[in-house]
Amino acid sequence: MAKGNGAINAIRLVFDSKAYSVAFLLIATLSFLGYSYLLSSSSLNLTLPKIAFELNVYSLIVSISVSALLALSLVMNAFAFVNGAALSGKAGLGAVIAAIIPSGLCCTSVIPATLAALGASTATVIGVTGELQGPFATYETLFITISIGLLLLSVLLASRNIAKCCAVKK
């Protein structure tokens, strides 16, 4: 197996299975809908005209990219696990979590709802929410870029695990 083709061969092997292909489509679609909703109120979605799903071109590309990479990472890790490979461990799981959390914390009701569920008063929720969400909004582009990079790392680690445990075709 050529070194540069390892990830592509692993992805092909995963998608040879109809079940994993369907799982990928389902996860990608659901996460796209979630990211589309979250990014519709993002500061990145304010300036350019909306082209689809109430998103501008930048937000649409981010939503598609993160959703596809998240679904690919989850499906590849599931394939590796089912086929007896050691999972990519903390790095792969960390990459998936790091890709999900930042976009869910900026400009959404996640933080206020969590504070309210923990028993915070209305005044506390109103006073603290902006301070907590501010850094996520300020560095949103950086968080998204890091998320995409970490998801790519997760896919790479999963493909290495698949190559080690499974007969990856040349």
Side-chain angles (χ1 to χ4, degrees):
M1 173 174 67
K3 195 172 191 175
N5 293 331
I8 304 246
N9 287 334
I11 291 169
R12 284 183 184 146
L13 184 61
V14 170
F15 285 121
D16 279 346
S17 167
K18 187 176 183 179
Y20 288 103
S21 298
V22 170
F24 169 81
L25 289 173
L26 181 65
I27 294 168
T29 300
L30 292 175
S31 61
F32 172 77
L33 293 172
Y35 278 110
S36 295
Y37 175 74
L38 292 173
L39 291 174
S40 67
S41 53
S42 164
S43 62
L44 303 172
N45 199 43
L46 296 177
T47 56
L48 298 173
K50 311 300 186 265
I51 59 171
F53 301 101
E54 291 298 317
L55 299 175
N56 64 25
V57 67
Y58 177 76
S59 297
L60 187 63
I61 289 170
V62 167
S63 186
I64 291 169
S65 301
V66 172
S67 299
L69 286 170
L70 176 63
L72 185 60
S73 176
L74 292 173
V75 169
M76 289 180 73
N77 276 298
F79 180 88
F81 178 75
V82 167
N83 287 287
L87 293 180
S88 49
K90 295 176 185 173
L93 179 62
V96 170
I97 291 171
I100 295 171
I101 290 177
S103 59
L105 297 179
C106 170
C107 309
T108 67
S109 62
V110 172
I111 289 176
T114 303
L115 291 172
L118 293 173
S121 68
T122 303
T124 301
V125 171
I126 292 171
V128 174
T129 298
E131 291 177 26
L132 294 175
Q133 288 179 327
F136 291 103
T138 302
Y139 301 108
E140 184 175 29
T141 304
L142 176 63
F143 283 124
I144 288 171
T145 303
I146 291 170
S147 294
I148 290 171
L150 288 172
L151 283 169
L152 287 169
L153 174 64
S154 178
V155 168
L156 177 65
L157 292 173
S159 67
R160 286 183 183 171
N161 288 336
I162 291 170
K164 288 178 185 175
C165 81
C166 308
V168 179
K169 302 169 188 170
K170 290 187 179 183

